[in-house]
Amino acid sequence: MNFRKLSLQARLVALMLVAVTLFGLLAGYESYKNALHEVDEIFDAQLAQLGQTLLAIAIHADDDETESTGPIAHKYQRALAFQVWSTEHDQPRLLLHSGKSAAALPDRLPEEGFSHGEWQGERWRFYRQSDPRRQLEVVVGQNDLARNDLARGVAWHNLQPFLFGIPLLALAALIAISFGLRPLRKLAQELNLRSPERLDPIHLDDTPKEIKPVLDALGQLLTRVAGTLENERRFTSDAAHELRTPLAALRAQVQAAMLTDEPAERLESLHKALQGMDRMSHLVGQLLTLARLDELSASTHLEPVDLAAVTRECCAEIGPEALARNIELELNGEDTAPISGSPDLLRVLVRNLLDNAIRYTPEGGHVVVTIQALKNSAHQLDVCDSGPGVSDEQLAQLGQRFSRFSPTLAEGVGLGLSIALRIAEIHRARIAFSRATTAGGLRVRAEFPPLSH
């Protein structure tokens, strides 16, 4: 049976029974050791008492004949033997003995007091006591097998109720665990009855404290999923709207070109259609970029990158566009700015910030890019333009997808700053929007954490 395929209830019952069984075996072993020790103590006391009693009887007896104690009256009596000897004129004489000990004792008599020895091929426990004045000696012995049998019997009797009670214990554990797992079954039932549209947190009555963290985490997950789905629905709706507009304009310009007979009007219509296609191609590219970024997380592999070098490359790439519009592009600050990041994503971020600044800067204006090292080894990138800027109310809305506050001043799809914010989130960086104090337009400030080793 594969343990991993068992239900939680079966696992708990099995683990509990295994633990209880191991505990019972350990308890039985300890019970056997304790029983053996107690049996040894009791039997040693009995041996000493029997030896002293036999010695007292022999002292007061005047019968010179050897006697036996009679037939065996108990099963443990077979494991007990004694002999009483009298030594007169260096001649030992057996005065009294048990039923099976008429034979001579071992060649080497046991020591005074308690000792162990071999007799008749078995191991015995002896007690020896003598009376030198009357030249009497008593030897009492007991077979070790009897002691061990009694100890095992005591341990087995102690273990029997536990072993025979395991099935009842398993049934009781099954009922108790089944009762304790009711909140989990209620949670599963609640989840099964929910429709895919229901993403509100789950609330159960009498929730145990062990399950409450699960419910809290599940509620937070459902909230995030609901927010993600809402963003996706809004994103899909906005994307469809943004795509519908250039498609309609493209259709209108193509139809106009087909209906006119004037070559100049036809060329103008085709030129406008080409511009609409370029705008739609840019929109699709931005949408694909944003979709790929949404799949990434903060755990994306980051490596040491020189932010200053990346910014210089992006400024060089966008320089011809700035020159074509007579816009002065100025780069100031540090020569090197080491941070942790993805070179490709950082190029997209810087390029989008520069592209946004160039788009909204009028001809003859200027864009200032500054890289500054901070005290905590972090680095800051500022992009300031001399465009119209935005109002204080609109600053909080910057970065929202498809948000365009001055569509008549510059073409765009409203995704550049959204992409920049998403890339900053992946790099654990912060982007802030404010008014450019010197240029008068918009200032975008991106602060990157120190290089992590």
Side-chain angles (χ1 to χ4, degrees), residues 187 201-204 207-208 210-220:
L187 175 59
I202 299 174
H203 299 284
L204 296 178
T207 303
E210 292 82 4
I211 299 181
K212 192 175 184 304
V214 178
L215 285 180
D216 294 341
L218 184 58
Q220 295 174 6

Side-chain angles (χ1 to χ4, degrees), residues 427-444:
H427 287 75
R428 300 182 180 88
R430 294 182 301 173
I431 288 186
F433 305 103
S434 61
R435 291 179 178 274
T437 55
T438 56
L442 177 68
R443 180 177 65 184
V444 183

